[in-house]
Amino acid sequence: MRTDTGQIVLLADYRPTDFVLERVDLTFELHPTETKVEARLIFHRREDTDPTAPLVLDGDELSLSGLLLDQMEVPAEQYTATPESLTVRDLPESTPFELTITTIINPEANTQLMGLYRTGGIYCTQCEAEGFRRITYFPDRPDVLAPYTVNIIADKEANPLLLSNGNFLGGAGYGEGKHFAAWFDPHPKPSYLFALVAGDLGVVEDTFTTMSGRDVALKIYVEHGKEPRAAYAMDALKRSMKWDEERFGREYDLEIFMIVAVSDFNMGAMENKGLNVFNDKYVLADPEIATDADYANIEAIIAHEYFHNWTGNRITCRDWFQLCLKEGLTVYRDHEFSADQRSRPVKRIAEVRHLKSEQFPEDSGPLAHPVRPTKYREINNFYTTTVYEKGSEVTRMIATLLGRDLFKQGMDLYFERHDGQAVTIEDFVKCFEDVSGRDLTQFSLWYHQAGTPLVTASGSYDAAAKTFSLSLEQMVPATPGQSEKLPMHIPLRMALIAEDGTEIVPASVTGAELTEDVLHLTAKSQTAVFQGIPSRPVLSLNRSFSTPINLQFSQSAKDLALIARHESDHFARWQALIDLGLPNLLQAARDARQGVEITCDETFIGGLLAAASDDSLEPAFRAQALALPSEADIARELGGNNDPDAIHAGREAILAKVAEAGKDIFAALYDSMQTPGPFSPDAASAGRRALRNAALGYLSQSDNAPARAKAAYDAANNMTDLSAALTILAHRFPDTAEAKAALDHFRSRFADNALVTDKWLAIQAAIPGAATLERIQALMALPLFKRTNPNRVRALVGTFVFANPTGFGRADGAGYRFLAQEILDIDPRNPQLAARILTSMRSWRSLEPNRADQAHSALMTIERAGSLSTDVRDIVDRILKE
């Protein structure tokens, strides 16, 4: 584990390598504790570089076993080897040379799950971002691209399967009890995309015929006996390949595409060229073990990793500062895929919920950074929602600015111009400037300025002049390292709605550019005047969340109700309901803290129930409408001095009022939204289940008794309904016999299924209230809790600290002290996992003074620890920085 404080890496310091890597030949002789790696690397010195410059290669906890230069042993005085680097001097000035490096590594002991590791009898790699340097000394950076040939030698009985990137060249026996396999990837790639898997796994096979008529072999490898559970993943893969051809014209480029599912994995999945490695929770599904959300996640993540074949693999990043170029762009692509496969407005609502709950707090706290950072200490800590989700939003805004056709032309030019290259944000943006003729310099501030812009809006109607004036002002708040901000180019989708619900089209607009329904805010303040408006309009602003901003716009409950009933943009309908409800939830939190009676505006309740009972709306949308803002959302909107207990009590009181007012509606929905026949994960059926379970939640609230939820649990024939009923029982009635019986039954029924056991743990970790900490500590003492498995730790510890404000944030500070203890325990084994869980403390300064002091004390316990990884040191230092 690296325990140094970490060297600061600056974007401004980027320079190409002194040497060009032409080819990589790797040979692995696999052994659980002594794997021999031989790397034959062919280099030549780059022109116009210092002819005496040494070759410096990266390492991480490596030990050099052998070093040859053009097949001759290198004298000791010609090189310097440390665990972190290999420097070779006196190299040829103009001719290519071959360096052969031999290292011995211990996959069994690699608990960091970076580089080559072995778990459950399976050898597996994870090389992004800097894991390859844990395998061999190498120029481990994304702008070093080369074709790879890989030879794998292993025990045949233990490892009948030997996989790597590219196309299979062949294999045969190799001495007594061993065999080998050879793979060649003709497409130059950076080292972070290298993959190797070896072991004994089952396989699901299929084929896909590309748009040019080539047949591609598709293989998904899973543990033996779990093959039927990979069927949906295979279906999602084939749909992804077809969609990418139709929407972006991208055809797959190898003879084979493989996915391997493993249980011990730090990430969700990894897009290694031709050999994707997945956390098995994003591959395995059947109605008994997977919820509708699981099916949707599998579909989206399978698509995301496949789409990386072009946006990330064929075209990759020049340096890690450009990470959003592959991740943000590919998130946008997988969002579009899911929207086309399912419901576009429902998908958009889910995206914005996630963005606001995760990225907005990141953008307003000590971990804020631009979509393209300018410096980092530990690159693993920049796989953030800012890079992924806000990066996606920036791509979406380009599509909004240019329109679908020009955006497609820009993407086509990007693929044509930069195929096989490692590029920058500037290269990407230039393609859209070239096809559109539009200067995107100001727009590019979205990549360079951190923080969520605040847009303040006000409108006035002049009946005599028949004009509507809209005044807008923008402000980008100060963030760490950026105190002064420039005005952004903010594209705002908008509509003017008449009292009868029809849309008013203005005759003309002055004061701002309007293209179709997109109003362009480019100055610090602007006033747009719309002419030819026959009656006072209701303004719907930022439709479909066209721009990731905080919008301050005071609208009456009557106007919001009209939008919620009549807007053709269904996202805007949902947002209007949120805007109706949020003031009630904020006031309820304040009143609960003061011990004042909690009330709720009838317009909000009426609007919510009207949406719930509107059969013209799809069930999935109605389910989203009934999901009130979370306690974390309320805390974010309150801004500071937050008391988690008061927020919880206030929200519960509002839920109770809605439940009581709508109990007849919810009873009717619960009865009518059943899905007869065999389970299907299709979007329509999933929407019906979502609405029915939302109704069950409200009915249980109004019943204030567990009987209905327990009956639903007993009758459930799929994991979606089973886990929904169990969650209601455990969260609302945790101390009842019904809840305890259901939890015991669930555990017993699925005792042999790790993924469902994770669900059982996560449901309990999110039980509101101070007593949950003791429950978690008891669960951690069970044999089923495996500290070395990231999924298990995330299910219990991660859910508790990220999704249980009252349990984690209990007033005596015990939750914060628990986190500090866990971080110090996890960090030596798995620094990435520890650092990501620690980000749960990013908003500690928004707590009321007593809790803030307790949180600060826990952070100082971590900060003062004698030995921290670079990952955790970076996060704790930034969280504590004033």
Side-chain angles (χ1 to χ4, degrees), residues 27 140 150 183 230 241 246 250 265 268 304 332 401 406-407 428 509 542 555 584 586 597 678 690 785 803 824 875:
T27 299
D140 191 14
V150 180
W183 295 81
M241 298 175 80
E246 293 175 346
R250 298 301 99 197
F265 201 64
H304 179 94
Y332 169 76
L401 284 173
L406 281 176
F407 179 76
F428 179 66
V509 183
N542 208 23
Q555 288 184 286
N584 292 279
L586 299 179
E597 181 183 358
F785 183 73
L824 296 177
I875 294 293

Side-chain angles (χ1 to χ4, degrees), residues 41-85:
L41 313 176
I42 298 178
F43 291 96
H44 69 262
R45 194 181 294 273
R46 198 181 297 275
E47 294 182 5
D48 301 324
T49 60
D50 180 358
T52 66
L55 174 64
V56 181
L57 303 179
D58 301 303
D60 185 357
E61 298 184 346
L62 290 179
S63 176
L64 183 67
S65 178
L67 181 63
L68 303 177
L69 176 60
D70 292 329
Q71 299 301 310
M72 300 292 291
E73 187 172 344
V74 180
E77 63 271 15
Q78 194 177 339
Y79 71 91
T80 302
T82 72
E84 283 71 45
S85 68

Side-chain angles (χ1 to χ4, degrees), residues 150-169:
V150 180
N151 296 285
I152 309 168
I153 304 165
D155 180 88
K156 187 172 183 178
E157 183 178 357
N159 305 284
L161 188 70
L162 304 175
L163 305 177
S164 192
N165 311 85
N167 296 320
F168 181 60
L169 297 180

Side-chain angles (χ1 to χ4, degrees), residues 57 350 375 455 468 516 534 710 720 818 829-830 877:
L57 303 179
K375 64 179 180 179
V455 173
F468 176 75
E516 296 183 351
K710 182 60 166 62
T720 299
F818 166 78
R829 287 191 305 276
N830 193 327
D877 285 354

Side-chain angles (χ1 to χ4, degrees), residues 615-634:
D615 289 335
S616 70
L617 298 172
E618 58 183 319
F621 175 88
R622 293 146 72 184
Q624 285 282 5
L626 288 171
L628 299 188
S630 69
E631 291 168 32
D633 293 330
I634 297 166

Side-chain angles (χ1 to χ4, degrees), residues 169-186:
L169 297 180
Y174 190 86
E176 186 174 352
K178 293 186 177 182
H179 67 144
F180 81 92
W183 295 81
F184 175 61
D185 185 357

Side-chain angles (χ1 to χ4, degrees), residues 818-828 834-835 837-838 862 872:
F818 166 78
L819 174 66
Q821 175 187 345
E822 287 304 308
I823 294 301
L824 296 177
D825 177 78
I826 297 167
D827 189 36
I837 290 176
L838 181 56
I862 299 170
V872 168

Side-chain angles (χ1 to χ4, degrees), residues 123-414:
Y123 292 91
C124 184
T125 56
Q126 171 56 38
C127 293
E128 187 175 1
E130 296 176 340
F132 193 80
R133 65 186 63 186
R134 295 177 60 78
I135 296 173
T136 187
Y137 294 102
F138 200 81
D140 191 14
R141 42 190 280 177
D143 62 340
V144 176
L145 282 65
Y148 281 59
T149 301
V150 180
N151 296 285
I152 309 168
I153 304 165
D155 180 88
K156 187 172 183 178
E157 183 178 357
N159 305 284
L161 188 70
L162 304 175
L163 305 177
S164 192
N165 311 85
N167 296 320
F168 181 60
L169 297 180
Y174 190 86
E176 186 174 352
K178 293 186 177 182
H179 67 144
F180 81 92
W183 295 81
F184 175 61
D185 185 357
H187 300 283
K189 67 173 179 285
S191 54
Y192 82 84
L193 290 173
F194 169 77
L196 180 152
V197 174
D200 188 6
L201 294 168
V203 63
V204 176
E205 300 185 73
D206 206 332
T207 59
F208 178 80
T209 303
T210 69
M211 60 186 181
S212 67
R214 291 187 305 107
D215 286 338
V216 177
L218 307 179
K219 299 187 179 186
I220 300 180
Y221 294 93
V222 298
E223 292 179 18
H224 288 291
K226 297 181 178 179
E227 292 90 344
R229 292 174 177 168
Y232 189 77
M234 181 64 80
D235 177 67
L237 173 60
K238 295 178 73 173
R239 285 186 281 119
S240 302
M241 298 175 80
K242 184 69 172 174
W243 183 89
D244 209 19
E245 290 183 345
E246 293 175 346
R247 178 72 181 271
F248 285 96
R250 298 301 99 197
E251 182 176 355
Y252 187 62
D253 51 7
L254 291 170
E255 299 168 2
I256 187 170
F257 185 86
M258 299 173 286
I259 291 173
V260 177
V262 297
S263 58
D264 290 326
F265 201 64
N266 278 339
M267 300 184 179
M270 180 61 210
E271 69 269 18
N272 316 299
K273 180 73 177 180
L275 178 57
N276 288 188
V277 178
F278 270 65
N279 188 319
D280 61 1
K281 71 182 291 186
Y282 297 119
V283 171
L284 303 176
D286 65 28
E288 186 180 27
I289 70 162
T291 64
D292 289 321
D294 293 328
Y295 278 99
N297 284 334
I298 289 169
E299 180 180 83
I301 295 172
I302 291 282
H304 179 94
E305 304 308 328
Y306 174 75
F307 296 154
H308 266 311
N309 188 58
W310 278 92
T311 50
N313 296 4
R314 290 284 290 259
I315 306 176
T316 193
C317 307
R318 187 196 71 177
D319 50 66
W320 289 120
F321 297 102
Q322 322 296 329
L323 182 59
C324 67
L325 183 56
K326 76 179 188 74
E327 294 301 347
L329 174 57
T330 306
V331 169
Y332 169 76
R333 278 159 43 78
D334 84 58
H335 283 177
E336 286 295 288
F337 169 75
S338 293
D340 285 345
Q341 299 293 303
R342 293 175 175 264
S343 162
R344 184 164 291 273
V346 171
K347 174 61 178 170
R348 188 60 182 148
I349 291 167
E351 291 163 8
V352 173
R353 280 191 187 276
H354 179 62
L355 186 76
K356 286 191 171 185
S357 67
E358 299 297 330
Q359 196 279 321
F360 276 32
E362 185 172 270
D363 231 359
S364 63
L367 301 182
H369 62 84
V371 172
R372 184 176 72 179
T374 57
K375 64 179 180 179
Y376 63 80
R377 184 195 299 185
E378 174 51 69
I379 186 55
N380 288 329
N381 291 337
F382 281 85
Y383 285 75
T384 62
T385 54
T386 295
V387 166
Y388 280 67
E389 307 302 331
K390 189 174 181 180
S392 169
E393 294 300 311
V394 176
T395 303
R396 182 180 298 278
M397 284 189 286
I398 294 175
T400 299
L401 284 173
L402 301 188
R404 186 180 179 114
D405 290 344
L406 281 176
F407 179 76
K408 174 64 165 54
Q409 291 177 38
M411 288 299 303
D412 288 345
L413 180 59
Y414 176 64

